[in-house]
Amino acid sequence: NHLRLRHVESMASFPSDAGKISHLNAAILGEALASEENDLVLPSHDFSRQALIPSPHKYLEMYKRSIEDPAEFWSDIALSEFYWKQRWGDQVYSENLHLNKGDIKIQWFKGGITNICYNCLDRNIDAGLGDKIALYWESNEPGFDAHLTYSQLLHRVCQLANCLKSIGVRKGDAVVVYLPMLLELPITMLACARIGAVHSVVFAGFSSDSLAQRIVDCKPNVVITCNAVKRGPKTIHLKDIVDAALIESAKDGVSIDVCLTYENQSTLKRESTKWQEGRDMWWQDVVPIYPTTCEVEWVDAEDPLFLLYTSGSTGRPKGVLHTTGGYMVYTATTFKYAFDYKESDVYWCTADCGWITGHSYVTYGPMLNGATVVVYEGAPNYPDSGRSWDIVDKYKVTIFYTAPTLVRSLMCDGDEYVTRYSRKSLRVLGSAGEPINPSAWRWFFNLVGGSRCPISDTWWQTETGGFMITPLPGAWPQKPGSATFPFFGVQPVIVDEKGNEIDGECSGYLCVKGSWPGAFRTLYGDHERYETTYFRQFPGYYFTGDGCNRDKDGYYWLTGRVDDVINVSGHRIGTAEVESALVSHPQCAEAAVVGVEHEVKGQGIYAFVTIVEGVSYSEQLRKSLIRAVRNQIGAFAAPDKIHWAPSLPKTRSGKIMRRILRKIASRQSDELGDTSSLAEPGVVDQLISLADC
Ligand code: WTA
């Protein structure tokens, strides 16, 4: 109770005009926060005292400044913490987020000339960090590891950058990267950035079809991969997957000049890797011969940095495009404050660089801060469920950032795997990718963090580039399961169905007002889709696709996607993509996919499938349907359940009623609601009776 009181005191000194910032109206009332019914977890006094943002008061002061004068707020940071070859023009930013006013357009630091690789490496080395460890690498197999200092990393990056240039990669060219978590993955990203090439990393769990689809979309000349990777006990032959993808993409008229292949020595021998002379090159044969210095390609802040494909509710994956300057400033600043970064920290983010978290918070955000980063190749539960904590102890990790699905799965495996290790180096924990349920939050907090490490539950998206709603450890009392408050410069709004902004305690659709430096600028090759997907439904705002509640204290609670996107273990999967993979199976006539609650994965994939006439449903067919999805998307998108549906519930106009399917999938068939618009009401009973077939 004395902790609660301490906080109430600090709240009493809030600036009186802070109340103008509507989302904080309630939060500034100390009594509300301190009331007994609130389930608050307060940062320790010691933690807060040394934190970058030590109090709600400090947060409010900075937040207010960031909203009232974004140009000044962000340009102060951009100028004091980054290197610009040339300053931007008169305007720090310009934006049009309203379709009625012409094309949607966001620009930050336009005219500013910089390079993000230079800012990650050269600038930090010049500041004396050359001998600091930049990357620790831990192999899938315990006992194998490596590390690179900032200077060594720069050398490696330059050699690859020179090699890419000699192959003919130029500023603005796309480079597709299909690598697992080897040091070569961040090296490749940084090398592309150094020469102004646009990397498009494809998560190495995607199938050859998905890889081919991305290659066809962005048309690179070079693909970078490795022969194979071990994940847990399994060896995955990545080069074979790339070979198959390249055959597919060639059919669509996109052929590759060079496939640069890293020899991951712990896996396959060179001799057993299939090879196409003239196209394929071993990394180890060519890259090390290049000089260890490489001129920087200076780029405009608005030049593209990378493309990353992500799933939407309809159609093909979207190529989210991020540019250089704003993304740089935003990822570095969010990293610094949301994890309360200190120079002595050792930081480990378990995400793969194939997803946005690995872009912003394995590579760019931490490196821009000169942080020491752990990169782990393997599975978090290999050889057993204690591996993560073994790694934490081995490298004395202080900041550990992961996904709720990992927390839940380790929680199921038992506390003894955690308590076997000391974990005393840990200072801050982080979570991202999906809502973290309060019981997982508590286990993470109490057991893993020994009740002393604040949890930064960071809400954000591929599109947002960096954290949008996140606790700042040390500043706020936390509520398990809430991402708390917006980051500096971010104005979340909750709207109703009609797009009216709702104030105070409420629930609705989460939108964002105004732009922020890390926002994506377009969908590659399809600006119209960018505008319609994100800016049409609620005019004047960026629509996130998420549902959200705001409680009486102003805390934000993300409730998950409100569109047809499923979040499986933190991986975004469009129901339409899974459906299209299923119907590509010759015996599948129609498919409808919905998400269902899943104890470990957050959501599971539940597929209703109608098969073609004359074929009977069997176990063999079920397996082959699942195989079709694995082959077309990747193993992570395999349906958890196939529900045979002789027919699907449709409206008279032929639209599938997913609301009903969701109820049947979650075994809530007594809550079907109004079924009067169904064309054939009998379909529902039939489906319910087949649920356990
Ligand atoms: C969800 C991953 C609740 C959300 C960084 C969002 C979250 C989608 C959180 C983006 C969180 C991400 N709490 N939900 N802390 N973080 N999400 O693009 O539904 O892979 O729209 O980016 O993940 O997924 P994406």
Side-chain angles (χ1 to χ4, degrees), residues 270-290:
R270 267 191 189 206
E271 307 74 72
S272 40
T273 304
K274 288 194 206 89
W275 211 244
Q276 182 172 317
E277 284 306 331
R279 182 196 72 187
D280 299 347
M281 285 182 191
W282 286 110
W283 176 306
Q284 282 93 331
D285 289 353
V286 291
V287 177
I289 43 184
Y290 285 93

PDB file of all heavy atoms in Angstrom, residues 270-290:
ATOM      1  N   ARG A 270      28.610 -28.888 -48.507  1.00  0.00           N
ATOM      2  CA  ARG A 270      28.514 -28.239 -49.813  1.00  0.00           C
ATOM      3  C   ARG A 270      28.112 -29.198 -50.917  1.00  0.00           C
ATOM      4  O   ARG A 270      27.243 -28.907 -51.729  1.00  0.00           O
ATOM      5  CB  ARG A 270      29.878 -27.683 -50.198  1.00  0.00           C
ATOM      6  CG  ARG A 270      30.068 -26.279 -49.799  1.00  0.00           C
ATOM      7  CD  ARG A 270      31.313 -25.738 -50.441  1.00  0.00           C
ATOM      8  NE  ARG A 270      31.547 -24.438 -49.838  1.00  0.00           N
ATOM      9  CZ  ARG A 270      32.194 -23.449 -50.415  1.00  0.00           C
ATOM     10  NH1 ARG A 270      32.708 -23.610 -51.609  1.00  0.00           N
ATOM     11  NH2 ARG A 270      32.332 -22.301 -49.813  1.00  0.00           N
ATOM     12  N   GLU A 271      28.789 -30.336 -50.899  1.00  0.00           N
ATOM     13  CA  GLU A 271      28.607 -31.282 -52.004  1.00  0.00           C
ATOM     14  C   GLU A 271      27.155 -31.734 -52.126  1.00  0.00           C
ATOM     15  O   GLU A 271      26.692 -32.082 -53.205  1.00  0.00           O
ATOM     16  CB  GLU A 271      29.477 -32.541 -51.815  1.00  0.00           C
ATOM     17  CG  GLU A 271      30.953 -32.293 -51.572  1.00  0.00           C
ATOM     18  CD  GLU A 271      31.229 -31.777 -50.159  1.00  0.00           C
ATOM     19  OE1 GLU A 271      31.125 -32.542 -49.192  1.00  0.00           O
ATOM     20  OE2 GLU A 271      31.530 -30.573 -50.037  1.00  0.00           O
ATOM     21  N   SER A 272      26.444 -31.742 -50.994  1.00  0.00           N
ATOM     22  CA  SER A 272      25.074 -32.246 -51.105  1.00  0.00           C
ATOM     23  C   SER A 272      24.062 -31.124 -51.347  1.00  0.00           C
ATOM     24  O   SER A 272      22.867 -31.338 -51.246  1.00  0.00           O
ATOM     25  CB  SER A 272      24.706 -33.077 -49.871  1.00  0.00           C
ATOM     26  OG  SER A 272      25.226 -32.475 -48.723  1.00  0.00           O
ATOM     27  N   THR A 273      24.550 -29.920 -51.639  1.00  0.00           N
ATOM     28  CA  THR A 273      23.620 -28.836 -51.955  1.00  0.00           C
ATOM     29  C   THR A 273      23.474 -28.753 -53.472  1.00  0.00           C
ATOM     30  O   THR A 273      24.477 -28.720 -54.190  1.00  0.00           O
ATOM     31  CB  THR A 273      24.176 -27.499 -51.430  1.00  0.00           C
ATOM     32  OG1 THR A 273      24.414 -27.642 -50.028  1.00  0.00           O
ATOM     33  CG2 THR A 273      23.215 -26.361 -51.663  1.00  0.00           C
ATOM     34  N   LYS A 274      22.247 -28.734 -53.936  1.00  0.00           N
ATOM     35  CA  LYS A 274      22.035 -28.641 -55.397  1.00  0.00           C
ATOM     36  C   LYS A 274      22.515 -27.279 -55.882  1.00  0.00           C
ATOM     37  O   LYS A 274      22.339 -26.269 -55.201  1.00  0.00           O
ATOM     38  CB  LYS A 274      20.555 -28.835 -55.722  1.00  0.00           C
ATOM     39  CG  LYS A 274      20.115 -30.261 -55.541  1.00  0.00           C
ATOM     40  CD  LYS A 274      18.747 -30.470 -56.191  1.00  0.00           C
ATOM     41  CE  LYS A 274      18.035 -31.616 -55.503  1.00  0.00           C
ATOM     42  NZ  LYS A 274      17.225 -31.211 -54.343  1.00  0.00           N
ATOM     43  N   TRP A 275      23.080 -27.249 -57.059  1.00  0.00           N
ATOM     44  CA  TRP A 275      23.798 -26.064 -57.507  1.00  0.00           C
ATOM     45  C   TRP A 275      23.500 -25.742 -58.959  1.00  0.00           C
ATOM     46  O   TRP A 275      23.449 -26.631 -59.787  1.00  0.00           O
ATOM     47  CB  TRP A 275      25.304 -26.324 -57.343  1.00  0.00           C
ATOM     48  CG  TRP A 275      26.084 -25.085 -57.053  1.00  0.00           C
ATOM     49  CD1 TRP A 275      27.039 -24.528 -57.846  1.00  0.00           C
ATOM     50  CD2 TRP A 275      25.976 -24.260 -55.902  1.00  0.00           C
ATOM     51  NE1 TRP A 275      27.527 -23.394 -57.247  1.00  0.00           N
ATOM     52  CE2 TRP A 275      26.891 -23.204 -56.050  1.00  0.00           C
ATOM     53  CE3 TRP A 275      25.172 -24.292 -54.748  1.00  0.00           C
ATOM     54  CZ2 TRP A 275      27.037 -22.193 -55.105  1.00  0.00           C
ATOM     55  CZ3 TRP A 275      25.319 -23.293 -53.810  1.00  0.00           C
ATOM     56  CH2 TRP A 275      26.238 -22.264 -53.986  1.00  0.00           C
ATOM     57  N   GLN A 276      23.278 -24.497 -59.248  1.00  0.00           N
ATOM     58  CA  GLN A 276      23.145 -24.116 -60.656  1.00  0.00           C
ATOM     59  C   GLN A 276      24.311 -23.200 -61.027  1.00  0.00           C
ATOM     60  O   GLN A 276      24.341 -22.033 -60.606  1.00  0.00           O
ATOM     61  CB  GLN A 276      21.809 -23.417 -60.902  1.00  0.00           C
ATOM     62  CG  GLN A 276      21.635 -23.059 -62.368  1.00  0.00           C
ATOM     63  CD  GLN A 276      20.244 -22.536 -62.671  1.00  0.00           C
ATOM     64  OE1 GLN A 276      19.237 -23.074 -62.183  1.00  0.00           O
ATOM     65  NE2 GLN A 276      20.169 -21.479 -63.462  1.00  0.00           N
ATOM     66  N   GLU A 277      25.259 -23.769 -61.759  1.00  0.00           N
ATOM     67  CA  GLU A 277      26.448 -22.997 -62.136  1.00  0.00           C
ATOM     68  C   GLU A 277      26.032 -21.729 -62.865  1.00  0.00           C
ATOM     69  O   GLU A 277      25.068 -21.728 -63.615  1.00  0.00           O
ATOM     70  CB  GLU A 277      27.372 -23.831 -63.053  1.00  0.00           C
ATOM     71  CG  GLU A 277      28.185 -24.915 -62.338  1.00  0.00           C
ATOM     72  CD  GLU A 277      29.023 -24.410 -61.160  1.00  0.00           C
ATOM     73  OE1 GLU A 277      29.437 -23.230 -61.183  1.00  0.00           O
ATOM     74  OE2 GLU A 277      29.251 -25.205 -60.215  1.00  0.00           O
ATOM     75  N   GLY A 278      26.771 -20.685 -62.615  1.00  0.00           N
ATOM     76  CA  GLY A 278      26.477 -19.430 -63.307  1.00  0.00           C
ATOM     77  C   GLY A 278      25.502 -18.565 -62.533  1.00  0.00           C
ATOM     78  O   GLY A 278      25.515 -17.349 -62.648  1.00  0.00           O
ATOM     79  N   ARG A 279      24.656 -19.185 -61.756  1.00  0.00           N
ATOM     80  CA  ARG A 279      23.700 -18.402 -60.974  1.00  0.00           C
ATOM     81  C   ARG A 279      24.047 -18.444 -59.483  1.00  0.00           C
ATOM     82  O   ARG A 279      24.033 -17.429 -58.792  1.00  0.00           O
ATOM     83  CB  ARG A 279      22.285 -18.961 -61.184  1.00  0.00           C
ATOM     84  CG  ARG A 279      21.211 -18.181 -60.447  1.00  0.00           C
ATOM     85  CD  ARG A 279      19.904 -18.961 -60.337  1.00  0.00           C
ATOM     86  NE  ARG A 279      20.015 -20.070 -59.393  1.00  0.00           N
ATOM     87  CZ  ARG A 279      19.075 -20.991 -59.203  1.00  0.00           C
ATOM     88  NH1 ARG A 279      17.954 -20.955 -59.908  1.00  0.00           N
ATOM     89  NH2 ARG A 279      19.241 -21.961 -58.322  1.00  0.00           N
ATOM     90  N   ASP A 280      24.378 -19.625 -59.006  1.00  0.00           N
ATOM     91  CA  ASP A 280      24.592 -19.786 -57.564  1.00  0.00           C
ATOM     92  C   ASP A 280      26.047 -19.483 -57.192  1.00  0.00           C
ATOM     93  O   ASP A 280      26.974 -19.883 -57.893  1.00  0.00           O
ATOM     94  CB  ASP A 280      24.240 -21.220 -57.147  1.00  0.00           C
ATOM     95  CG  ASP A 280      22.775 -21.546 -57.443  1.00  0.00           C
ATOM     96  OD1 ASP A 280      22.008 -20.596 -57.731  1.00  0.00           O
ATOM     97  OD2 ASP A 280      22.399 -22.730 -57.395  1.00  0.00           O
ATOM     98  N   MET A 281      26.211 -18.800 -56.073  1.00  0.00           N
ATOM     99  CA  MET A 281      27.562 -18.497 -55.577  1.00  0.00           C
ATOM    100  C   MET A 281      27.601 -18.771 -54.081  1.00  0.00           C
ATOM    101  O   MET A 281      26.674 -18.398 -53.371  1.00  0.00           O
ATOM    102  CB  MET A 281      27.843 -16.992 -55.703  1.00  0.00           C
ATOM    103  CG  MET A 281      28.120 -16.484 -57.065  1.00  0.00           C
ATOM    104  SD  MET A 281      28.462 -14.708 -56.835  1.00  0.00           S
ATOM    105  CE  MET A 281      28.429 -14.201 -58.518  1.00  0.00           C
ATOM    106  N   TRP A 282      28.690 -19.372 -53.635  1.00  0.00           N
ATOM    107  CA  TRP A 282      28.852 -19.536 -52.184  1.00  0.00           C
ATOM    108  C   TRP A 282      29.332 -18.225 -51.588  1.00  0.00           C
ATOM    109  O   TRP A 282      30.328 -17.666 -52.028  1.00  0.00           O
ATOM    110  CB  TRP A 282      29.868 -20.643 -51.868  1.00  0.00           C
ATOM    111  CG  TRP A 282      29.323 -22.022 -52.103  1.00  0.00           C
ATOM    112  CD1 TRP A 282      29.693 -22.878 -53.080  1.00  0.00           C
ATOM    113  CD2 TRP A 282      28.308 -22.680 -51.329  1.00  0.00           C
ATOM    114  NE1 TRP A 282      28.971 -24.050 -52.978  1.00  0.00           N
ATOM    115  CE2 TRP A 282      28.115 -23.952 -51.910  1.00  0.00           C
ATOM    116  CE3 TRP A 282      27.524 -22.327 -50.221  1.00  0.00           C
ATOM    117  CZ2 TRP A 282      27.181 -24.878 -51.414  1.00  0.00           C
ATOM    118  CZ3 TRP A 282      26.604 -23.240 -49.722  1.00  0.00           C
ATOM    119  CH2 TRP A 282      26.447 -24.497 -50.325  1.00  0.00           C
ATOM    120  N   TRP A 283      28.634 -17.771 -50.600  1.00  0.00           N
ATOM    121  CA  TRP A 283      29.012 -16.543 -49.874  1.00  0.00           C
ATOM    122  C   TRP A 283      30.486 -16.594 -49.484  1.00  0.00           C
ATOM    123  O   TRP A 283      31.249 -15.662 -49.752  1.00  0.00           O
ATOM    124  CB  TRP A 283      28.094 -16.431 -48.653  1.00  0.00           C
ATOM    125  CG  TRP A 283      28.339 -15.319 -47.689  1.00  0.00           C
ATOM    126  CD1 TRP A 283      29.514 -15.014 -47.059  1.00  0.00           C
ATOM    127  CD2 TRP A 283      27.378 -14.366 -47.223  1.00  0.00           C
ATOM    128  NE1 TRP A 283      29.333 -13.938 -46.224  1.00  0.00           N
ATOM    129  CE2 TRP A 283      28.034 -13.531 -46.299  1.00  0.00           C
ATOM    130  CE3 TRP A 283      26.019 -14.159 -47.477  1.00  0.00           C
ATOM    131  CZ2 TRP A 283      27.385 -12.495 -45.633  1.00  0.00           C
ATOM    132  CZ3 TRP A 283      25.361 -13.133 -46.808  1.00  0.00           C
ATOM    133  CH2 TRP A 283      26.048 -12.303 -45.908  1.00  0.00           C
ATOM    134  N   GLN A 284      30.872 -17.724 -48.843  1.00  0.00           N
ATOM    135  CA  GLN A 284      32.239 -17.811 -48.313  1.00  0.00           C
ATOM    136  C   GLN A 284      33.305 -17.739 -49.416  1.00  0.00           C
ATOM    137  O   GLN A 284      34.436 -17.402 -49.147  1.00  0.00           O
ATOM    138  CB  GLN A 284      32.424 -19.108 -47.503  1.00  0.00           C
ATOM    139  CG  GLN A 284      31.823 -19.032 -46.111  1.00  0.00           C
ATOM    140  CD  GLN A 284      30.396 -19.551 -46.039  1.00  0.00           C
ATOM    141  OE1 GLN A 284      29.656 -19.474 -47.021  1.00  0.00           O
ATOM    142  NE2 GLN A 284      30.010 -20.066 -44.887  1.00  0.00           N
ATOM    143  N   ASP A 285      32.930 -18.074 -50.649  1.00  0.00           N
ATOM    144  CA  ASP A 285      33.914 -18.013 -51.743  1.00  0.00           C
ATOM    145  C   ASP A 285      34.094 -16.600 -52.270  1.00  0.00           C
ATOM    146  O   ASP A 285      35.166 -16.262 -52.760  1.00  0.00           O
ATOM    147  CB  ASP A 285      33.474 -18.895 -52.929  1.00  0.00           C
ATOM    148  CG  ASP A 285      33.594 -20.366 -52.597  1.00  0.00           C
ATOM    149  OD1 ASP A 285      34.132 -20.689 -51.510  1.00  0.00           O
ATOM    150  OD2 ASP A 285      33.134 -21.191 -53.407  1.00  0.00           O
ATOM    151  N   VAL A 286      33.035 -15.816 -52.214  1.00  0.00           N
ATOM    152  CA  VAL A 286      33.132 -14.509 -52.865  1.00  0.00           C
ATOM    153  C   VAL A 286      33.190 -13.327 -51.897  1.00  0.00           C
ATOM    154  O   VAL A 286      33.992 -12.415 -52.092  1.00  0.00           O
ATOM    155  CB  VAL A 286      31.984 -14.287 -53.892  1.00  0.00           C
ATOM    156  CG1 VAL A 286      32.156 -15.194 -55.098  1.00  0.00           C
ATOM    157  CG2 VAL A 286      30.621 -14.485 -53.271  1.00  0.00           C
ATOM    158  N   VAL A 287      32.388 -13.328 -50.867  1.00  0.00           N
ATOM    159  CA  VAL A 287      32.285 -12.124 -50.028  1.00  0.00           C
ATOM    160  C   VAL A 287      33.612 -11.747 -49.351  1.00  0.00           C
ATOM    161  O   VAL A 287      34.014 -10.576 -49.388  1.00  0.00           O
ATOM    162  CB  VAL A 287      31.122 -12.258 -49.013  1.00  0.00           C
ATOM    163  CG1 VAL A 287      31.068 -11.046 -48.094  1.00  0.00           C
ATOM    164  CG2 VAL A 287      29.792 -12.435 -49.747  1.00  0.00           C
ATOM    165  N   PRO A 288      34.336 -12.707 -48.748  1.00  0.00           N
ATOM    166  CA  PRO A 288      35.541 -12.315 -47.995  1.00  0.00           C
ATOM    167  C   PRO A 288      36.656 -11.713 -48.842  1.00  0.00           C
ATOM    168  O   PRO A 288      37.571 -11.110 -48.281  1.00  0.00           O
ATOM    169  CB  PRO A 288      36.014 -13.630 -47.352  1.00  0.00           C
ATOM    170  CG  PRO A 288      34.845 -14.534 -47.404  1.00  0.00           C
ATOM    171  CD  PRO A 288      34.070 -14.155 -48.616  1.00  0.00           C
ATOM    172  N   ILE A 289      36.567 -11.846 -50.162  1.00  0.00           N
ATOM    173  CA  ILE A 289      37.654 -11.258 -50.949  1.00  0.00           C
ATOM    174  C   ILE A 289      37.501  -9.754 -51.153  1.00  0.00           C
ATOM    175  O   ILE A 289      38.405  -9.082 -51.604  1.00  0.00           O
ATOM    176  CB  ILE A 289      37.837 -11.942 -52.343  1.00  0.00           C
ATOM    177  CG1 ILE A 289      36.493 -12.198 -52.995  1.00  0.00           C
ATOM    178  CG2 ILE A 289      38.664 -13.200 -52.270  1.00  0.00           C
ATOM    179  CD1 ILE A 289      36.590 -12.968 -54.322  1.00  0.00           C
ATOM    180  N   TYR A 290      36.368  -9.228 -50.787  1.00  0.00           N
ATOM    181  CA  TYR A 290      36.149  -7.787 -51.011  1.00  0.00           C
ATOM    182  C   TYR A 290      36.728  -6.949 -49.881  1.00  0.00           C
ATOM    183  O   TYR A 290      36.859  -7.426 -48.747  1.00  0.00           O
ATOM    184  CB  TYR A 290      34.646  -7.501 -51.180  1.00  0.00           C
ATOM    185  CG  TYR A 290      34.163  -7.938 -52.534  1.00  0.00           C
ATOM    186  CD1 TYR A 290      33.629  -9.206 -52.726  1.00  0.00           C
ATOM    187  CD2 TYR A 290      34.320  -7.105 -53.643  1.00  0.00           C
ATOM    188  CE1 TYR A 290      33.235  -9.631 -53.980  1.00  0.00           C
ATOM    189  CE2 TYR A 290      33.923  -7.525 -54.900  1.00  0.00           C
ATOM    190  CZ  TYR A 290      33.384  -8.783 -55.062  1.00  0.00           C
ATOM    191  OH  TYR A 290      33.000  -9.188 -56.304  1.00  0.00           O
TER     192      TYR A 290
END
